[in-house]
């Protein structure tokens, strides 16, 4: 059951689109049958998709914490779950990828068990409340990316950590990098790009910037504030091109201002053998293996970034690729997911 904020392939669903796509691919490879239920316009060459019409849901991160739950007329979310109600007997488990109140509220009304994949930390009180009550009434049914994301809810101990998974065959290991550093992500204030630019200016190493200029005024402010910084805006690249460019970099700087549930960019970098220099914040604290595959830095400390860059030669790039293969392959993610489903079906 996909996210109701956009059709699959639109990118509106962010990281959770990738997680759903990778998990579905891996489950099919393992011989499971499945159908993806998603908003009208969702496309996929290889996956069975049931498209549902209706009004998209508002992104939860655009709402305030105390805002009431809003369901539009002809809600695609409601239509998706009415379809699920009708076909539920055909399935052993229903997997919910929506970060929304309705699917969680509907859990007791369904006969087929529902596995909820919660894709962000705590954002809205009414959603926190329903997550916590489902976690208690239906043990093991709340899945998250990381412990630090789970810790933003009161039911942290009841959450099952799935981490994330990538198709590693797309990512080529690069043993010999250029001198450049990298920063990857949506160019928006919560991603803290200005710190990476400031660090690049202090240390005098080129910083290659990959990603969508989502907030242009934010980008322009950085260019005005650091006119002499050695930065190169590469743009938003599709995965195959991104990994080729990213792999050539000495390290990637990950500077989130908010608790990121996971860090897709971080595991993509590891998959290419690129060490991580990241703020000690959110999911990144469970990805970076200190001193082995990168360095965790005091949050919001530009000096901390500069210090870490000076120690980069201590990191073995092969160890970075190895961590991705051990923890973030589709097989590893598939194992964790099957284990999760088994736990739920044993309830
Ligand atoms: N907001 N209401 C709502 N529902 C979602 O499923 C949702 C969202 N905001 C962001 C989002 N999903 C995903 O892009 C992130 O969880 C990755």
């Amino acid at each position: 059951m996909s996210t109701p904020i956009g059709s699959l392939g639109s990118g509106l669903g962010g990281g959770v689109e990738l997680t759903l796509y990778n998990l579905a691919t891996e489950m099919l490879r393992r011989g499971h049958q499945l159908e993806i239920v998603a908003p009208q316009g969702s496309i996929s060459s290889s996956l069975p998709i049931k498209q549902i019409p209706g009004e998209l849901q508002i992104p939860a991160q655009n709402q305030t914490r105390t805002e009431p739950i809003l369901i539009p007329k002809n809600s695609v979310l409601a239509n998706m779950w009415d379809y699920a109600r009708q076909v539920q007997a055909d399935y052993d488990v229903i997997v919910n990828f929506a970060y929304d109140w309705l699917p969680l509220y509907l859990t007791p009304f369904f006969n087929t068990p529902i596995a909820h994949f919660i894709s962000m930390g705590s954002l809205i009180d009414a959603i926190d409340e329903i997550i916590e009550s489902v976690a208690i009434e239906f043990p093991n049914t709340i899945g998250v990316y990381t412990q630090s994301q789970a810790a933003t809810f009161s039911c942290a101990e009841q959450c099952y950590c799935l981490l994330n998974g990538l198709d590693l065959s797309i990512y080529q290991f690069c043993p010999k990098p250029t001198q450049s550093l990298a920063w990857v992500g949506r160019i928006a204030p919560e991603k803290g790009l200005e710190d990476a630019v400031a660090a690049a200016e202090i240390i005098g190493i080129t910083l290659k910037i990959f990603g969508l200029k989502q907030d242009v005024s934010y980008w322009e402010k950085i260019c005005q504030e650091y006119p002499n910084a050695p930065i190169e805006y590469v743009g938003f690249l599709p995965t195959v091109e991104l990994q080729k460019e990213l792999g050539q970099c000495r390290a990637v700087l990950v500077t989130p201002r908010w608790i990121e549930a996971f860090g897709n960019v971080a595991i993509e970098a590891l998959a290419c053998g690129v060490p991580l220099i990241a703020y000690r914040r959110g999911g990144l604290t469970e990805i970076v293996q200190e001193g082995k595959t990168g360095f965790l830095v005091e949050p919001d400390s530009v000096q901390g970034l500069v210090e870490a860059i000076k120690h980069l030669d201590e990191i073995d790039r092969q160890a970075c690729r190895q961590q991705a293969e051990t923890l973030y392959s589709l097989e590893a993610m598939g194992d964790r997911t099957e284990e999760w489903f088994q736990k739920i079906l044993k309830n």
Side-chain angles (χ1 to χ4, degrees):
M1 305 297 291
S2 184
T3 168
I5 65 165
S7 55
L8 275 179
S10 68
L12 287 168
V16 85
E17 273 192 48
L18 191 67
T19 302
L20 183 154
Y21 184 86
N22 284 338
L23 265 190
T25 306
E26 179 60 13
M27 289 298 127
L28 284 171
R29 191 184 69 79
R30 292 174 180 231
H32 295 287
Q33 275 83 42
L34 61 87
E35 178 183 46
I36 296 173
V37 183
Q40 193 86 48
S42 295
I43 41 151
S44 163
S45 51
S46 56
L47 297 172
I49 291 191
K50 171 72 182 170
Q51 300 189 48
I52 303 287
E55 287 295 305
L56 296 178
Q57 196 65 21
I58 304 167
Q61 69 273 29
N62 297 354
Q63 297 185 267
T64 61
R65 176 160 284 287
T66 53
E67 206 157 324
I69 297 301
L70 302 173
I71 299 275
K73 183 171 63 63
N74 185 29
S75 153
V76 71
L77 179 63
N79 295 344
M80 282 165 69
W81 282 88
D82 187 51
Y83 173 77
R85 176 185 59 78
Q86 294 170 47
V87 301
Q88 61 177 307
D90 302 345
Y91 297 93
D92 300 301
V93 65
I94 297 172
V95 191
N96 169 42
F97 285 86
Y99 189 94
D100 287 280
W101 181 86
L102 184 65
L104 288 150
Y105 177 73
L106 289 175
T107 307
F109 296 87
F110 272 67
N111 303 316
T112 301
I114 304 176
H116 296 283
F117 190 105
I118 303 298
S119 60
M120 293 184 284
S122 160
L123 275 178
I124 297 177
D125 292 346
I127 295 182
D128 288 3
E129 182 187 58
I130 195 73
I131 287 176
E132 282 142 20
S133 72
V134 167
I136 292 161
E137 205 181 331
F138 300 90
N140 304 309
T141 62
I142 301 293
V144 292
Y145 283 118
T146 59
Q147 237 110 33
S148 41
Q149 174 202 354
T152 65
F153 300 106
S154 66
C155 58
E157 287 72 41
Q158 284 82 16
C159 295
Y160 185 85
C161 287
L162 285 142
L163 304 180
N164 207 348
L166 291 174
D167 176 355
L168 294 178
S169 66
I170 302 176
Y171 299 82
Q172 257 64 48
F173 172 63
C174 170
K176 287 253 171 293
T178 64
Q179 279 309 308
S180 302
L181 298 167
W183 187 92
V184 186
R186 271 181 305 109
I187 296 178
E190 72 270 16
K191 296 286 187 179
L193 171 58
E194 64 274 22
D195 289 6
V197 172
E201 181 170 69
I202 292 169
I203 200 147
I205 298 178
T206 302
L207 176 73
K208 287 191 170 184
I209 298 165
F210 304 88
L212 199 64
K213 277 183 190 167
Q214 186 175 43
D215 182 330
V216 179
S217 57
Y218 169 65
W219 166 257
E220 279 158 6
K221 196 158 87 36
I222 293 174
C223 295
Q224 276 147 25
E225 226 165 292
Y226 303 95
N228 309 316
I231 60 175
E232 183 190 325
Y233 177 61
V234 182
F236 175 75
L237 301 180
T239 304
V240 174
E241 283 74 19
L242 170 68
Q243 64 85 30
K244 219 180 304 185
E245 295 277 332
L246 182 56
Q248 313 257 335
C249 294
R250 279 190 68 205
V252 65
L253 304 184
V254 194
T255 55
R257 290 275 188 254
W258 67 325
I259 298 258
E260 295 233 328
F262 195 68
N264 284 338
V265 166
I267 63 173
E268 289 185 294
L270 291 175
C272 302
V274 179
L276 305 174
I277 293 177
Y279 285 155
R280 189 185 309 281
R281 194 174 257 155
L284 290 159
T285 58
E286 297 168 56
I287 296 174
V288 180
Q289 293 175 357
E290 186 72 39
K292 193 165 169 286
T293 59
F295 301 105
L296 284 169
V297 163
E298 175 61 31
D300 311 323
S301 161
V302 171
Q303 201 43 48
L305 295 173
V306 172
E307 275 314 302
I309 295 166
K310 291 176 183 165
H311 291 268
L312 269 176
D313 294 342
E314 295 165 23
I315 303 293
D316 169 10
R317 293 171 72 90
Q318 186 64 44
C320 298
R321 172 71 191 191
Q322 189 51 53
Q323 180 181 348
E325 287 178 359
T326 310
L327 288 175
Y328 310 124
S329 66
L330 288 184
E331 292 74 18
M333 179 70 171
D335 290 346
R336 290 191 289 268
T337 306
E338 279 191 340
E339 193 189 301
W340 181 35
F341 292 163
Q342 292 301 346
K343 268 182 183 240
I344 293 172
L345 294 175
K346 271 206 201 80
N347 276 349

